Amino acid sequence: MLIVMKHNASTDHIDRVVDVIRDMGYDARPIPGGQRTAVGLIGNDGRVDSARIEGLDGVLEVIPVTQPYKQVSREWKEDDTIIRLDNGTRIGGTDVVLMAGPCAVESEEQIVGIAEVLRDQGATILRGGAFKPRTSPYSFQGLGKEGLELLARAREATGMAVVTEAIDPDGVDLVAEYADIVQVGARNMQNYPLLRRVGRAGKPVLLKRGMSATIDELLLAAEYILAEGNGDVILCERGVRGFDNHTRNILDLTAIPVIRALSHLPIIADPSHGTGIRSKVIPMARAAVAAGADGLMVEVHPDPPRALSDGAQSLYPQQFEELMGQIRVIARAIGRDLAAPLTSAGVV
Ligand code: PEP
Ligand code: MN
């Protein structure tokens, strides 16, 4: 961190900055220049409270020279993190991984039926919300524990891994008992007690970008999970709020290469919530794979007009099959491949 002093800062001002930095437990090195002096703060471990320095007399600005996050950064760990699931799926390597399923678990017939179709089409991870964080309190809130049990039944029937959301810290243990990956949704990206709790859950975590969150805020949210000792975090770009009402959100595809450069963690894209419109899901899914996403999370429903949530953005199963064929070609064009399909029921 570099503290740039005003051109008229006095020696006392500079000495005070040096004293405060040393009082915080770091080393300070004044760097005199032609116009002004800068003070280097040495040994920044990411915990420096720059507000303490910004308010001092004679300080013009404080410039961070290291990232505010540590363990999620490429500086901390150069090699890509690869997360291995019990069913053999590897997230974060050269494979492009497909997570697919309905927005919400609605019944045994719905979830087991769609899981069988999706498994045969090549998806290896089943998504489906049992606890739904809905914008309106009057919308379908999910089947709760029964939904988790139905997801477990679908896993048994197909060999697919299960990703499903935990919406509060107290609910994490129950979700972690049933899920292969615990999801933290966009609305909860900055729910710090929840992040800390999933950091101790002993399961990989899928962390979705908040709808108004910057990339740095997403990475700092992930840092909470890693700081608790859980390094198996998958980041998910799911669209951010924009000013245009033609789509539900703006899928920020640039976030994919940006995050790949900044972090070793896998980054996937959710073109379903990212667009909110069925006809826009496939083009953006293709684009996300081309942009380097390690996987996709796609909502697919056996009968979208009857879906209890997000039917308008859910693909029909045959559309998902078309998408699989297209992204296989795109993945190969950039030196990747789709994750190997699961071959038979109960592969685990
Ligand atoms: C979901 O994936 O089920 C979901 C609610 O998405 P998001 O948190 O991105 O809105
Ligand atoms: Mn949804």
Side-chain angles (χ1 to χ4, degrees):
M1 184 174 283
L2 201 62
I3 295 91
V4 181
M5 304 301 294
K6 291 180 180 160
H7 74 280
N8 59 353
S10 67
T11 318
D12 280 355
H13 290 152
I14 297 166
D15 289 348
R16 177 85 187 112
V17 168
V18 169
D19 285 348
V20 168
I21 292 174
R22 294 201 174 132
D23 185 49
M24 291 163 83
Y26 304 101
D27 206 6
R29 199 166 299 161
I31 311 159
Q35 300 285 320
R36 60 184 84 245
T37 294
V39 182
L41 182 152
I42 322 278
N44 182 358
D45 56 3
R47 277 178 250 182
V48 177
D49 179 8
S50 60
R52 248 187 101 179
I53 303 169
E54 272 157 6
L56 296 175
D57 288 340
V59 171
L60 179 67
E61 66 174 321
V62 175
I63 304 173
V65 291
T66 47
Q67 311 288 12
Y69 35 83
K70 293 279 159 198
Q71 297 186 48
V72 304
S73 75
R74 280 249 183 238
E75 287 162 16
W76 182 274
K77 178 173 177 280
E78 209 180 317
D79 295 339
D80 289 344
T81 287
I82 299 177
I83 297 165
R84 293 171 169 80
L85 303 181
D86 288 347
N87 75 347
T89 302
R90 292 154 34 107
I91 309 161
T94 51
D95 289 352
V96 173
V97 172
L98 266 296
M99 308 182 185
C103 180
V105 180
E106 297 170 3
S107 67
E108 176 163 6
E109 188 194 0
Q110 175 236 25
I111 195 69
V112 176
I114 194 72
E116 282 167 348
V117 171
L118 293 167
R119 193 272 318 275
D120 290 347
Q121 291 174 338
T124 61
I125 301 175
L126 177 67
R127 65 143 291 144
F131 296 94
K132 296 299 303 173
R134 305 304 299 281
T135 302
S136 163
Y138 307 115
S139 302
F140 176 58
Q141 303 286 311
L143 295 180
K145 187 166 189 280
E146 188 194 344
L148 296 175
E149 284 162 1
L150 297 181
L151 283 165
R153 222 163 286 163
R155 170 176 46 213
E156 240 168 74
T158 61
M160 292 177 89
V162 163
V163 56
T164 192
E165 181 164 352
I167 56 174
D168 50 41
D170 290 345
V172 168
D173 283 344
L174 180 66
V175 171
E177 223 178 278
Y178 289 87
D180 298 280
I181 303 172
V182 179
Q183 179 170 323
V184 173
R187 289 158 191 78
N188 267 321
M189 189 204 83
Q190 286 177 312
N191 179 339
Y192 299 116
L194 177 62
L195 296 175
R196 288 195 193 281
R197 193 62 204 77
V198 295
R200 298 193 298 271
K203 285 282 168 78
V205 176
L206 175 78
L207 176 63
K208 301 189 85 174
R209 181 179 181 181
M211 46 195 97
S212 305
T214 64
I215 290 170
D216 280 350
E217 286 165 344
L218 170 63
L219 293 172
L220 282 164
E223 186 80 18
Y224 270 83
I225 304 171
L226 271 75
E228 292 296 322
N230 187 351
D232 286 348
V233 176
I234 305 149
L235 304 169
C236 179
E237 166 56 44
R238 52 75 74 202
V240 289
R241 275 276 157 82
F243 48 80
D244 196 288
N245 59 6
H246 281 278
T247 54
R248 181 174 174 183
N249 290 298
I250 295 178
L251 188 65
D252 178 10
L253 289 182
T254 321
I256 295 167
V258 168
I259 287 171
R260 287 182 73 87
L262 292 174
S263 177
H264 52 86
L265 296 174
I267 165 83
I268 68 160
D270 170 353
S272 304
H273 294 89
T275 63
I277 303 165
R278 182 178 308 119
S279 62
K280 307 296 175 278
V281 172
I282 290 183
M284 296 316 286
R286 294 190 299 235
V289 173
D294 295 304
L296 296 173
M297 171 176 262
V298 182
E299 286 185 343
V300 186
H301 194 281
D303 188 2
R306 290 224 166 83
L308 296 182
S309 62
D310 285 347
Q313 68 192 30
S314 299
L315 295 185
Y316 285 87
Q318 70 269 23
Q319 289 181 298
F320 184 73
E321 178 136 40
E322 278 164 40
L323 174 64
M324 290 294 285
Q326 296 172 352
I327 56 178
R328 183 171 293 111
V329 178
I330 295 169
R332 286 182 183 159
I334 56 170
R336 309 184 75 159
D337 208 343
L338 299 191
L342 304 166
T343 43
S344 59
V347 217
V348 211

